Structures are given as structure tokens and as C-alpha cells.
């Protein structure tokens, strides 16, 4: 990957900001590590520069999902202790009412899967070991186009950046673009809400993560129902773990329109503060989520769940060959990096296409994809040239 343009001095990247903007990370295949609120980077060949970068990074919250700084966190309303025990206020009629077919159309499934390979000749796609999904599966019959964010922050993504009506209007506009770019595949709108966010504040249990109150999740569900959208609940475990955090969302995951995402970038296995290093998850962590969702689907007679795992470096997901797939869970490895067009495409080819699990996703940034000189956000037509084609598209 190209390094892009780093025109601002390191000093100016940190010190002029009283309330620093969230920063983004990336690692390119050549071995250059870079973090940015204007991509402050340090090379493995420069120890002094690396030390300065790490010391500064330790005082900031870093995120491709735009984490809160401790100063920003003061603006977050206090969360009551009993939020995880209250029943959801969302009525049953808020759920998507689309009828679930009794039988999977395997012929159509096969046709769609072959088309998604987009002429790939590597032999990796479609993944031969994946069984047919249960009836009612969204993929590969529809492409999901999602808006990502958090209601407490305008900087974590487009979902929380605009008033509800404007946000939904923008999402519908993107859906129409994708429908026009690929007339062979229907588009399913989605709201991808960060339900557990990593943060720079340790909290009472020193886990560096903040669980959103259920009333906020209820609000997202109500928004989604207005446009027949599905909902993803995203989990950034920080110093906690998936075994603790995912079951707390069970009452929502039992809903047929609610799906799951996890972000290894903020899984801090070494005990370091989120933002100081890029986190990681192993196949064992991911398989816990797969097995958990599988049981939930079986026990509650639900259509298959879509499960998103974000990734933009090799080390973010270890032992990918050991990741299990089931007919009840549709697995998507989502290319989560930002930057120049060539960097994003290379990241997709290197860390997503070469390590197949089941389906692929691709993330587009309204702001960060423009940060470097001469960079811009890829168009739907350009993304559809990828091999294989992503079935999950996320806008931040």
C-alpha cells in the first residue's frame, strides 16, 4: 500500500487540539505503521519517532470508529446500573414483517454465490466448505447497505451525525445508488449501532468500555422500522471479552431483524489501553459468537443471523482457518480500513479476499477517505469490481 501524504508535522498533529479529533489506524503490507488524526505515523526504522508517537498516542483515544476522549466522555449522559435488566420498549410491530420463505432456493443461492466471485480465478471463492444457510437467509440474495455510528457522538459515524430524518434520507439515497450500480441484487438497508464502545476512561471495573443504555438501542430499532431496515449491534470489548458482552444483548439478538458485529481492533488482549495498539481476536473468540448466535437461532426459530467481523490488518484476526460456519449464521469479514483508494483495495485483497471464511464486506468513510491528498471515497461501481464482490457495505 502507498503511504499517502503526511504533510503535517508530528507536533501539529497533536498539540494544537484542546479536544482532539478521533484518530485512525492503518498498517500497510510493507510494514509501516500509521495512526492519524492526520495519520501520524512512525516507521519501524525510526526508534525515536516511534517512541514519540507512542507516548502521544497513550494520551489519546484512537479509533477507526472514532472513540471518545475522556473530555468528550463527560458529555455522555449517566447510564443507570439497571439498564441491562429492563425490558425493551420496542413494540412487536417495530420488527421487519417480511415473510420468511419455508424452503431455501438452493438453485438461486448457487447462482448468486457464483456471481459474487466476479470472475475470481483463485479457487478460494465461493468457499466450498460452507453449508447452505437456513431458509430466510439475507445473503447472498440481498446486498446490505448500512449506516454506522453511535447516538451519543457526531464523530463516530453518520448514524449519529445527523438528525434522524436527514440520516434516513441519506441512507435511502445510498441504497438507490447501489440498486442502480447492481440491478441483479436487491439492497437491504441497515443501521449499524455501536452498542458497546471502547473508550479512554477505565470505568469502575477498569474495562475501558462503555455499554449503551437500552433506551438508545430501542431508539435505533424504531428508526430502522421506519425504512424496513435491519439493525446490527456492534461490540468493542476493550479489556472485557465477547463471552461477557454479547450475552447482555440477548433480548435484542432474539429479534429477527437484529444482527451482530464485533471489532477486533478494540479487543485489548495484552491489557493495554484502547488506542495504544491495535487489538486482536482469535478464532476462539469469534467461534464463541458464532456458536452463541447459532443456539439463539435454533432455540427461537429465527432466520439466520448476519455476523460482521471488522478487519484491516492481518493480526486483527488470528487462525482464520479455524473459524466455524453454520447454517444459522452468515459470516462477513468486513474490510474496515480507510484512506486512499489504492490502500483500501490492497487491504481488501490482502486481508479479506486471501483469507476466505464465507462473505465479505467493505467500509466507506464520508470524511476519512478524503484525508489524504488526491484521495476520495470509492463509488459503488468501483467497489463492485472487487473479487469477490462485497455483500455488506458500511458507511461511516
Amino acid at each position: 500500500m502507498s503511504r499517502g501524504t503526511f504533510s503535517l508535522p508530528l507536533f501539529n498533529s497533536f498539540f494544537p487540539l484542546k479536544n482532539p479529533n478521533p484518530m485512525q489506524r492503518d498498517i500497510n503490507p510493507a510494514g509501516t505503521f500509521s495512526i492519524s488524526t492526520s495519520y501520524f505515523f512512525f516507521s519501524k526504522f525510526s526508534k525515536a519517532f516511534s517512541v514519540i508517537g507512542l507516548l502521544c498516542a497513550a494520551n489519546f483515544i484512537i479509533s477507526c470508529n472514532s472513540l471518545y476522549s475522556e473530555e468528550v466522555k463527560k458529555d455522555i449522559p449517566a447510564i443507570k446500573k439497571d439498564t441491562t435488566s429492563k425490558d425493551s420498549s420496542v413494540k412487536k410491530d417495530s420488527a421487519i414483517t417480511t415473510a420468511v420463505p419455508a424452503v431455501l432456493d438452493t438453485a438461486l443461492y448457487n447462482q448468486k454465490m457464483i456471481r459474487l466471485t466476479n470472475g475470481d480465478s483463485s479457487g478460494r471463492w465461493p468457499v466450498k466448505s460452507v453449508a447452505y444457510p437456513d431458509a430466510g437467509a439475507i445473503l447472498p440474495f440481498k446486498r446490505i447497505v448500512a449506516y454506522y455510528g453511535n447516538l451519543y457522538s457526531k464523530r463516530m459515524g453518520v448514524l449519529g451525525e445527523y438528525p434522524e430524518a436527514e440520516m434516513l434520507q441519506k441512507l435511502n439515497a445510498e441504497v438507490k445508488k447501489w440498486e442502480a450500480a447492481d440491478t441483479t441484487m436487491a439492497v437491504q438497508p441497515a443501521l449499524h449501532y455501536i452498542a458497546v464502545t471502547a473508550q479512554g476512561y477505565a470505568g469502575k471495573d477498569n474495562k475501558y468500555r462503555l455499554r449503551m443504555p437500552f433506551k438508545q438501542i430501542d431508539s435505533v430499532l424504531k428508526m430502522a422500522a421506519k425504512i424496513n431496515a435491519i439493525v446490527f449491534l456492534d461490540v468493542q470489548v476493550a479489556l472485557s471479552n465477547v463471552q461477557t458482552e454479547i450475552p447482555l444483548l440477548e433480548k435484542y439478538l432474539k429479534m429477527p431483524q437484529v444482527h451482530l458485529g464485533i471489532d477486533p481492533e478494540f479487543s485489548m488482549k495484552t491489557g493495554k489501553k484502547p488506542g495504544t495498539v491495535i487489538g486482536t481476536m482469535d478464532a476462539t473468540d469469534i467461534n464463541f459468537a458464532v456458536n452463541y448466535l447459532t443456539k439463539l437461532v435454533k432455540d427461537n426459530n429465527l432466520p439466520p443471523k448476519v455476523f460482521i467481523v471488522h478487519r484491516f490488518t492481518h493480526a486483527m484476526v488470528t487462525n482464520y482457518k479455524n473459524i466455524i460456519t453454520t447454517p444459522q449464521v452468515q459470516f462477513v469479514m468486513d474490510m474496515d480500513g480507510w484512506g486512499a483508494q489504492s490502500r483500501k483495495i490492497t487491504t481488501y485483497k490482502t486481508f479479506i479476499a486471501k483469507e476466505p471464511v464465507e462473505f465479505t464486506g467493505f467500509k466507506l468513510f464520508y470524511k476519512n477517505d478524503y484525508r489524504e491528498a488526491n484521495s476520495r471515497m470509492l463509488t459503488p461501481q468501483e467497489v463492485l469490481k472487487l473479487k469477490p464482490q462485497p455483500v455488506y457495505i458500511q458507511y461511516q
Side-chain angles (χ1 to χ4, degrees):
M1 284 184 259
S2 63
R3 293 180 181 174
T5 302
F6 303 92
S7 59
L8 293 179
L10 180 64
F11 182 88
N12 289 336
S13 294
F14 296 108
F15 298 104
L17 303 175
K18 293 182 180 178
N19 186 14
N21 287 327
M23 290 172 284
Q24 180 68 30
R25 313 180 130 205
D26 196 18
I27 292 181
N28 70 33
T32 300
F33 174 68
S34 57
I35 304 175
S36 147
T37 180
S38 70
Y39 255 92
F40 70 81
F41 96 82
F42 50 95
S43 166
K44 64 180 179 180
F45 302 110
S46 176
K47 294 182 179 179
F49 199 30
S50 178
V51 171
I52 293 172
L54 283 173
L55 289 175
C56 293
N59 293 317
F60 285 74
I61 294 186
I62 306 168
S63 172
C64 74
N65 301 320
S66 301
L67 292 179
Y68 300 115
S69 67
E70 294 186 24
E71 183 176 352
V72 173
K73 184 190 172 294
K74 294 177 182 178
D75 297 329
I76 300 176
I79 296 177
K80 296 180 181 179
K81 293 182 180 179
D82 61 351
T83 53
T84 56
S85 63
K86 292 183 180 179
D87 291 334
S88 171
S89 63
V90 178
K91 297 180 180 179
K92 291 182 179 180
D93 61 3
S94 296
I96 293 177
T97 56
T98 304
V100 176
V103 179
L104 181 77
D105 186 339
T106 56
L108 182 59
Y109 175 91
N110 291 338
Q111 176 187 333
K112 293 284 189 181
M113 292 297 286
I114 293 297
R115 191 176 187 284
L116 284 174
T117 66
N118 202 24
D120 175 70
S121 58
S122 68
R124 300 184 185 98
W125 303 94
V127 182
K128 297 177 180 62
S129 60
V130 174
Y132 285 120
D134 286 350
I138 295 175
L139 307 176
F141 305 103
K142 295 181 179 181
R143 176 170 285 110
I144 299 169
V145 174
Y147 262 15
Y148 172 95
N150 182 283
L151 299 183
Y152 283 136
S153 174
K154 293 184 177 181
R155 300 187 302 174
M156 295 181 76
V158 64
L159 175 56
E161 183 175 359
Y162 299 98
E164 177 185 331
E166 185 177 358
M167 180 272 294
L168 294 177
Q169 184 179 25
K170 287 178 177 291
L171 175 55
N172 278 327
E174 297 295 355
V175 166
K176 290 179 181 178
K177 290 179 184 178
W178 281 94
E179 289 173 337
D182 184 357
T183 58
T184 68
M185 185 174 286
V187 177
Q188 172 63 61
L191 299 181
H192 196 124
Y193 184 67
I194 312 168
V196 182
T197 177
Q199 59 174 359
Y201 174 66
K204 292 181 179 180
D205 58 1
N206 292 314
K207 296 299 184 182
Y208 287 91
R209 57 89 182 89
L210 183 65
R211 298 168 183 155
M212 297 298 106
F214 281 1
K215 66 179 181 180
Q216 292 290 346
I217 299 176
D218 294 341
S219 296
V220 173
L221 289 169
K222 291 174 182 176
M223 291 180 194
K226 293 179 181 179
I227 59 169
N228 207 37
I230 60 175
V231 170
F232 288 88
L233 299 181
D234 206 78
V235 176
Q236 301 173 355
V237 298
L239 271 67
S240 183
N241 53 61
V242 292
Q243 292 83 357
T244 299
E245 300 302 326
I246 292 175
L248 296 177
L249 299 170
E250 181 168 311
K251 72 173 183 178
Y252 292 107
L253 293 172
K254 284 181 178 179
M255 299 178 182
Q257 81 276 27
V258 178
H259 305 266
L260 180 66
I262 59 175
D263 198 341
E265 181 182 1
F266 303 107
S267 172
M268 314 311 294
K269 298 287 189 184
T270 62
K272 293 184 178 181
K273 181 178 176 180
T276 58
V277 296
I278 297 174
T280 184
M281 284 188 181
D282 187 69
T284 54
D285 302 301
I286 294 169
N287 287 343
F288 169 84
V290 172
N291 287 326
Y292 183 87
L293 292 174
T294 297
K295 185 176 186 303
L296 210 61
V297 168
K298 289 180 177 180
D299 290 350
N300 294 277
N301 194 29
L302 298 170
K305 295 292 183 183
V306 180
F307 176 37
I308 310 294
V309 177
H310 305 293
R311 186 183 196 184
F312 60 88
T313 75
H314 185 269
M316 281 174 67
V317 175
T318 56
N319 297 308
Y320 85 94
K321 290 183 179 180
N322 294 335
I323 296 173
I324 60 174
T325 58
T326 72
Q328 294 76 34
V329 178
Q330 299 199 283
F331 186 97
V332 178
M333 193 76 80
D334 174 45
M335 198 296 290
D336 194 39
W338 65 267
Q341 302 95 294
S342 60
R343 177 182 293 110
K344 292 172 71 78
I345 292 171
T346 300
T347 301
Y348 182 85
K349 291 179 178 179
T350 305
F351 305 126
I352 308 299
K354 286 186 178 180
E355 298 195 352
V357 180
E358 186 172 4
F359 295 100
T360 68
F362 199 89
K363 190 167 185 175
L364 297 165
F365 293 79
Y366 283 117
K367 294 181 174 63
N368 287 350
D369 282 349
Y370 289 86
R371 282 185 179 270
E372 299 178 44
N374 301 317
S375 69
R376 59 172 174 79
M377 192 170 71
L378 290 164
T379 66
Q381 290 81 1
E382 290 171 325
V383 174
L384 289 171
K385 292 179 181 179
L386 294 169
K387 299 178 182 183
Q389 291 180 337
V391 293
Y392 171 84
I393 306 297
Q394 185 184 101
Y395 286 89
Q396 178 170 329

